[in-house]
Amino acid sequence: MSFVTGAAMRSLEEAAFRRGVSAESLMDRAGEGIARRLLDHFPQPGRAVAYIGKGNNGGDALVALRYLREAGWQIALKAAYPETEWGVLPRRKRRELVEELPNALPEGSGPLLLLDGLLGIGARGTLREPLARLAEEMAWLRDSHGAVVAAMDLPSGIDADSGEGRGVVADLTITVGVAKLGLSTPAGIASAGRILLVPLGDLPPPEGSALELFGPDAFPGLLSPRPHDFHKGDSGRIGLLAGSPGMTGAAVLAATAALRAGAGLVTLHVEPEFLPSLAAPMPPEVMVKVSPTPVTDAFSAGHDALVIGPGIANMSKTGQADLLARLAKPHPPAVLDADGLNFLATAGKTALLDSRHLITPHPGEFRRLAPDLAEKDRLAAAVAFVTRHPCTLLLKGARTLVAAPGEATRFNPTGHAGMASGGQGDVLSGVAGAFLAQGMKPCDAASLAAWLCGRAAERALAKGPVTTASDTLDELGGAMRDWQERRR
Ligand SMILES: NC(=O)C1=CN([C@@H]2O[C@H](COP(=O)(O)OP(=O)(O)OC[C@H]3O[C@@H](n4cnc5c(N)ncnc54)[C@H](OP(=O)(O)O)[C@@H]3O)[C@@H](O)[C@H]2O)[C@@H](O)CC1
Ligand SMILES: Nc1ncnc2c1ncn2[C@@H]1O[C@H](COP(=O)(O)OP(=O)(O)O)[C@@H](O)[C@H]1O
Ligand SMILES: [K+]
């Protein structure tokens, strides 16, 4: 599923109209799809208030409101203009709600959801009154009452192409037909929150897009149920070079994540002096192999994939040299993370990277690998990097990008700011390693791992606004189910 400009979206709509599709039927399906996604996210009924302008964006919110009411939600409406000034379709959608709607916050319990239907792709320039006042009211309810803001199509007031503009800051943005390009820019990311897509068969995404929204609708079949006669040899064997004294947690998190994502066997390779600190906290399912040459052992043990880097800052100098030498020779596919990447950068060996390598830098690690690209736009930098070094790059950040030679770059919509804590990256590399070991293409392994870790962290929000790496681990199984059920 690609990203399009506002103008390209209008062209897709025009093409649908020429084929005889009505704007009203698009709006009905858009509003229903938005409500379905909201009901997936909020299974317990609560209170929903639609904030609408006079355009069709408000129509989407009114249709969604009707479905929420059917599901037992208390509803209310805050309209910026008298009904006589609204467009034809929103007026019709208002009549389909039949009863008069209160314009005060509904009483009762459950989540307070604000449907932002002030402006969609029709937004031009800074949000004007009376819309600006309603946007401020939403922001106030979000800050002071724990309200959740769900934007219809786009957060109101942001530009569909650039994502620039001060307007509504949403927790979720449910975009219709095809995701708008502005949602993928740093400014758009800061306003949009979690992006969900309502695909409409009559608005097919254009082919050949450079950026794709990653998710279960666009990539079905990546996590199919296992055949009944599956055995642990089919699940993949992973060799792990991770952890050192003071950084044992990184190895535990990566190993546990690999197991939870379905790896058949995980072996941690360590130097003898690291054993006392690393063996005890390891989960019992992990094999710990001790030798003076753990790097050589890991590379020659016949593993299906390697995970190299979490917490290995204290690896011996001979170990580091062995690692760099081994990476240049034939070896199984490998995830390279954290200090594994720092060693490469420090030694000036980034040119070793090729199609066997899935690298997972955060922005700081990326800067060390490619200082000249770090100031560029993230998408351009990611593409330039894999053109220079033909590996798979998972570039972390508030929204992760996955780039690989010859592939459209993928944009991961899951995860939240509560994940900004140590150890999340170790979990991600373990999960990606498990998928590599099962023979998945590196760019699929990377994208799926990012999606699942972000989704697991979203599930953990039920416990509170901050998600630790252990919370993410606990929810990985549920995230895998969510993917398989294609509900997110
Ligand atoms: N078309 C379709 O088939 C489908 C469309 N769909 C939905 O419709 C959305 C697009 O709807 P839309 O074209 O009616 O525009 P919309 O975003 O509601 O706003 C236009 C109004 O905003 C006003 N306005 C503009 N800038 C402003 C500002 N800065 N500050 C204040 N006001 C401002 C402008 O007023 P004017 O400047 O003309 O006075 C105009 O009246 C789309 O995003 C999707 O959600 C889906 O249902 C699928 C089918
Ligand atoms: N604001 C945010 N929104 C969404 N995801 C985030 C945010 N901050 C961090 N993350 C995710 O959390 C993970 C942190 O990884 P990393 O920085 O490598 O952590 P560590 O090295 O401490 O394990 C990344 O996958 C990143 O995309
Ligand atoms: K909106």
Side-chain angles (χ1 to χ4, degrees):
M1 291 288 176
S2 22
F3 286 83
V4 291
T5 60
M9 195 66 226
R10 293 275 191 221
S11 304
L12 288 175
E13 285 171 0
E14 293 299 331
F17 299 154
R18 282 195 297 278
R19 293 192 305 272
V21 178
S22 73
E24 182 168 10
S25 89
L26 290 179
M27 184 179 285
D28 286 339
R29 281 176 284 152
E32 180 181 358
I34 288 168
R36 297 262 165 264
R37 270 151 189 73
L38 289 172
L39 293 171
D40 271 350
H41 263 260
F42 303 98
Q44 299 304 324
R47 298 159 291 158
V49 186
Y51 283 75
I52 67 168
K54 56 186 164 184
N56 287 337
N57 192 245
D60 290 356
L62 290 166
V63 175
L65 206 55
R66 178 154 52 84
Y67 283 96
L68 290 175
R69 184 175 64 187
E70 279 171 19
W73 288 60
Q74 302 290 320
I75 62 171
L77 178 63
K78 297 260 185 172
Y81 302 94
E83 197 166 327
T84 47
E85 292 182 32
W86 302 1
V88 177
L89 288 179
R91 265 186 284 156
R92 209 176 282 168
K93 297 305 134 189
R94 163 71 195 86
R95 283 199 296 278
E96 287 173 6
L97 277 156
V98 185
E99 298 150 30
E100 276 303 307
L101 297 179
N103 77 348
L105 282 192
E107 300 286 328
S109 58
L112 174 59
L113 196 54
L114 310 181
L115 306 188
D116 161 29
L118 297 177
L119 287 179
I121 60 174
R124 299 285 172 271
T126 309
L127 207 55
R128 296 188 300 269
E129 294 298 355
L131 302 188
R133 189 174 38 78
L134 288 183
E136 273 166 31
E137 184 177 308
M138 280 192 263
W140 176 74
L141 286 169
R142 183 171 182 261
D143 286 346
S144 62
H145 287 62
V148 175
V149 175
M152 311 290 102
D153 208 21
L154 277 173
S156 294
I158 78 161
D159 182 80
D161 300 350
S162 68
E164 301 284 345
R166 260 173 50 83
V168 169
V169 174
D171 298 288
L172 311 165
T173 294
I174 307 169
T175 195
V176 176
V178 188
K180 314 306 173 290
L181 195 56
L183 296 172
S184 71
T185 66
I189 288 168
S191 298
R194 167 70 138 99
I195 302 169
L196 294 148
L197 177 73
V198 176
L200 294 180
D202 285 316
L203 301 174
E207 301 276 320
S209 167
L211 185 66
E212 285 193 286
L213 181 66
F214 186 77
D217 285 325
F219 295 83
L222 275 190
L223 205 57
S224 308
R226 290 179 170 183
H228 295 307
D229 56 355
F230 207 68
H231 67 92
K232 72 178 180 213
D234 300 325
S235 329
R237 287 153 303 180
I238 294 186
L240 185 59
L241 285 165
S244 49
M247 288 189 261
T248 52
V252 177
L253 290 169
T256 313
L259 289 166
R260 296 252 170 103
L265 270 178
V266 178
T267 308
L268 175 73
H269 295 270
V270 286
E271 295 173 36
E273 53 272 43
F274 291 3
L275 183 65
S277 55
L278 278 171
M282 268 297 147
E285 298 87 347
V286 176
M287 303 217 327
V288 181
K289 194 130 191 270
V290 189
S291 100
T293 55
V295 174
T296 307
D297 287 7
F299 276 75
S300 52
H303 297 304
D304 298 306
L306 301 167
V307 174
I308 302 166
I312 57 169
N314 299 329
M315 183 185 263
S316 65
K317 289 286 173 233
T318 42
Q320 292 181 34
D322 194 11
L323 176 58
L324 294 174
R326 289 277 167 179
L327 284 173
K329 295 188 187 144
H331 63 78
V335 178
L336 292 174
D337 184 33
D339 289 311
L341 294 173
N342 293 336
F343 295 162
L344 266 188
T346 310
K349 298 272 190 187
T350 310
L352 282 180
L353 293 172
D354 63 26
S355 59
R356 298 164 299 174
H357 303 127
L358 158 49
I359 66 168
T360 59
H362 59 51
E365 287 152 359
F366 185 70
R367 179 184 302 277
R368 276 171 229 133
L369 289 168
D372 60 318
L373 298 179
E375 299 311 322
K376 274 191 164 203
D377 155 77
R378 275 166 62 81
L379 174 60
V383 172
F385 188 89
V386 299
T387 308
R388 193 182 287 175
H389 308 293
C391 62
T392 296
L393 164 66
L394 181 156
L395 181 55
K396 293 171 195 163
R399 287 289 169 250
T400 290
L401 294 176
V402 175
E407 301 278 345
T409 301
R410 296 161 182 191
F411 178 97
N412 180 57
T414 62
H416 57 82
M419 292 174 81
S421 65
Q424 298 284 0
D426 308 325
V427 173
L428 178 78
S429 47
V431 175
F435 296 143
L436 274 190
Q438 287 163 23
M440 208 179 270
K441 219 165 76 169
C443 66
D444 288 341
S447 321
L448 184 58
W451 192 96
L452 290 173
C453 290
R455 177 68 203 135
E458 289 170 4
R459 293 173 61 94
L461 284 173
K463 291 191 214 164
V466 173
T467 301
T468 66
S470 300
D471 295 330
T472 301
L473 267 181
D474 289 343
E475 293 292 340
L476 260 183
M480 290 166 85
R481 277 254 178 280
D482 286 342
W483 176 278
Q484 288 180 325
E485 291 169 7
R486 292 176 64 178
R487 297 193 318 129
R488 306 287 168 176

